[in-house]
Amino acid sequence: MKPAPFEYVSPESEEEVLDLLHQHGDDARLLAGGQSLVPMLNLRIVQPEVIIDLGRCPSLAFISAENGTLVCGAMTRQMTAERSPAVRENCPLLAKALPYLGGTAHRNRGTVGGTLAHADRLAELPAVALALDAEFIARKSGSERMIAAADFFLTDLTTALEEGEMLHSIRLPRADGNHHTAFVEVGNRRHGFAIVGLAAALEIAADGTVAGARLAAMGVGAAPVRLHEAEQILVDGPAGDDTLRAAGEAAAQAIDPDDDIHASAVYRRRLTSTLVRRAVQEILGNEAGS
Amino acid sequence: MSFSKVEVRLTVNGTEYVRSVEPRYLLADFLRHELGLTGTHIGCEQGVCGACTVLLDGRTARSCLHFAVQVSGSEVTTIEGVSADESLKPIQDAFHHNHALQCGYCTPGFVMTTVEFLKDNPAPDEAAIRRGLTNNVCRCTGYVNIIKAVAEAADNMPGGEG
Ligand code: FES
Ligand code: FES
């Protein structure tokens, strides 16, 4: 199908973008890389009156690192981030998750801010943001605020961004201590929509035990979910398979996944349990080998 | 509100074109209907099948997921542009030799994807080829011959293994 008609504007500065958003409110949609929005336009799932294209606003596309905190402008292309040494060095978990986002053609065009603001329940980066306590910088005409990742994702396709507000950038703070991360997912294809995915960040103590754990799953609910019970078990339990199994089991019990044509709720629970074990084993295995 | 036409300026396969189209006009339709370059195929129109893949400023992009106006000023290479480039001929030859197409509907997308894939991965193994092609759909061949073709093309490309 073809999209319904719309008015198109392509502002070249952030001020103009925010003015236009203010002026048009909910009648307008921001177009970033378009890899999620354009299919919805083509299928006429959404029919905005105005499309505000961010593609000609260069100040929104940047990657910088300040004292280990990675700051990524909303219009940074996913492939640019994936290939950025600053991302690999300052935020390895983001670098590990990016190749899963879609095919090469999608990642060439899709943006970091676009996938986060779109907030599909099967998107990888929301789980990464949640696991890393990312901060979302939101701007509207004349003001700016910071939204914590835990408060940003409300439900499927819905974020805390208000009418007239735009995601400007995200900040990914560097974790202290001996931190290691893994991103794992299972889907029908190597890239593209997964069934369940998991972002894991562990702090490893000098004796090789888990001193801190942050786990966030996607595909198990309408928004990404932190797995607090499993994290606690990993930190409290003695090193070994029993603790891993218990953590996986706790993760499976803590979530409330849906049944759909891709997988049953039971399968999603078991998969989450498996992915918790897989991610932790991957991290501890690398740690032992390094 | 009026939905007046907008000017789009694109360099396609080295030639500059200027046309007036509605903002909602997809790049895929622009290439096919405005420029008559019907080698770019449209399968799903939602970014899934890969039949519409072109190179946009040198990197693969789904032409069904871009509005022509949005990419005005860019350089586009379509399958027609690949045929003209002798250095890329090994890809088409390999598809031909290996019977990597039947109806041919998916083929332009596979070839464009392969152009970029082999640039990024000059000596891929089979697993890498499978991963690289995972987002292109073919309803005829069963993929086996496409994978063989890409492996052969890798060997025969200038600067490749062979
Ligand atoms: S037609 Fe564009 S991906 Fe299928
Ligand atoms: S050859 Fe027919 S779809 Fe691929």
Side-chain angles (χ1 to χ4, degrees):
Chain A
M1 256 163 74
K2 310 294 177 190
F6 51 77
E7 193 193 326
Y8 171 88
V9 279
S10 54
E12 288 171 14
S13 74
E14 272 171 57
E15 293 68 39
E16 277 177 84
V17 173
L18 295 175
D19 283 350
L20 284 161
L21 262 185
H22 180 71
Q23 190 184 324
H24 295 288
D26 277 351
D27 294 337
R29 286 296 294 252
L30 292 174
L31 173 62
Q35 304 302 288
S36 303
L37 180 59
V38 179
M40 292 172 82
L41 290 165
N42 288 356
L43 293 165
R44 301 199 179 194
I45 294 168
V46 289
Q47 302 192 19
E49 279 172 36
V50 183
I51 292 279
I52 304 172
D53 181 7
L54 300 178
R56 306 206 187 254
C57 187
S59 69
L60 290 171
F62 66 91
I63 295 172
S64 69
E66 305 155 3
N67 304 326
T69 292
L70 184 79
V71 187
C72 199
M75 279 299 290
T76 306
R77 305 269 174 203
Q78 291 155 9
M79 189 58 84
T80 306
E82 190 175 322
R83 294 186 165 185
S84 154
V87 171
R88 267 200 299 275
E89 191 177 313
N90 296 287
C91 193
L93 180 57
L94 178 61
K96 287 172 197 168
L98 280 162
Y100 289 98
L101 263 59
T104 305
H106 300 107
R107 275 141 53 224
N108 284 340
R109 305 299 302 171
T111 63
V112 171
T115 183
L116 287 166
H118 184 66
D120 190 290
R121 60 164 66 208
L122 290 177
E124 286 81 1
L125 295 195
V128 170
L130 193 61
L132 295 179
D133 269 335
E135 298 170 350
F136 289 72
I137 309 301
R139 287 190 179 166
K140 69 157 105 184
S141 233
S143 69
E144 174 179 296
R145 65 174 176 140
M146 192 277 283
I147 308 169
D151 301 323
F152 188 77
F153 301 102
L154 302 184
T155 182
D156 199 17
L157 308 181
T158 310
T159 68
L161 290 171
E162 291 167 0
E163 188 174 328
E165 215 170 25
M166 159 182 82
L167 177 61
H168 171 269
S169 54
I170 59 158
R171 298 166 55 86
L172 296 145
R174 190 210 283 278
D176 296 329
N178 184 18
H179 244 81
H180 294 268
T181 58
F183 189 88
V184 288
E185 74 172 34
V186 167
N188 293 333
R189 296 177 176 195
R190 171 67 166 67
H191 311 280
F193 285 126
I195 294 169
V196 174
L198 183 85
L202 299 186
E203 193 187 338
I204 309 293
D207 63 0
T209 57
V210 177
R214 309 183 57 84
L215 306 173
M218 47 158 271
V220 302
V225 179
R226 270 289 293 279
L227 302 170
H228 295 288
E229 294 81 357
E231 294 170 358
Q232 202 59 49
I233 291 172
L234 289 174
V235 174
D236 293 344
D241 287 347
D242 288 346
T243 297
L244 270 185
R245 249 193 306 278
E249 198 44 45
Q253 290 314 315
I255 56 174
D256 185 19
D258 289 335
D259 280 306
D260 63 26
I261 53 164
H262 303 292
S264 67
V266 173
Y267 178 71
R268 287 197 162 90
R269 277 187 207 278
R270 294 180 61 157
L271 194 51
T272 305
S273 165
T274 301
L275 290 178
V276 166
R277 277 184 286 145
R278 205 175 275 176
V280 175
Q281 273 166 342
E282 182 183 317
I283 292 173
L284 296 179
N286 288 345
E287 174 71 351
S290 66
Chain B
M1 191 179 300
S2 72
F3 302 107
S4 47
K5 292 191 170 184
V6 288
E7 185 185 277
V8 172
R9 185 179 292 269
L10 274 183
T11 302
V12 181
N13 304 329
T15 307
E16 192 181 59
Y17 299 91
V18 183
R19 295 285 190 280
S20 243
V21 296
E22 276 187 76
R24 64 169 167 158
Y25 216 62
L26 296 169
L27 174 59
D29 292 323
F30 187 91
L31 296 169
R32 292 176 55 83
H33 304 309
E34 289 292 325
L35 307 186
L37 296 170
T38 52
T40 298
H41 292 168
I42 297 178
C44 65
E45 227 164 38
Q46 47 180 298
V48 179
C49 74
C52 70
T53 305
V54 298
L55 299 184
L56 184 57
D57 293 327
R59 300 287 303 177
T60 54
R62 304 294 208 225
S63 60
C64 74
L65 294 189
H66 293 81
F67 300 110
V69 60
Q70 190 192 349
V71 297
S72 182
S74 305
E75 285 192 26
V76 176
T77 307
T78 67
I79 188 70
E80 289 89 348
V82 173
S83 335
D85 183 345
E86 279 297 308
S87 68
L88 297 172
K89 207 167 161 289
I91 298 175
Q92 276 128 323
D93 285 348
F95 270 67
H96 183 192
H97 291 155
N98 289 282
H99 192 56
L101 58 149
Q102 289 177 32
C103 78
Y105 202 86
C106 66
T107 313
F110 270 97
V111 171
M112 300 314 289
T113 301
T114 303
V115 169
E116 176 183 64
F117 174 75
L118 291 181
K119 221 178 271 171
D120 290 349
N121 308 274
D125 61 14
E126 191 195 311
I129 295 173
R130 285 179 176 274
R131 275 202 301 278
L133 301 180
T134 183
N135 282 279
N136 286 67
V137 174
C138 173
R139 294 290 75 156
C140 302
T141 63
Y143 302 100
V144 172
N145 289 350
I146 297 179
I147 291 156
K148 276 196 217 155
V150 175
E152 184 183 302
D155 291 344
N156 293 338
M157 291 290 274
E161 294 286 275

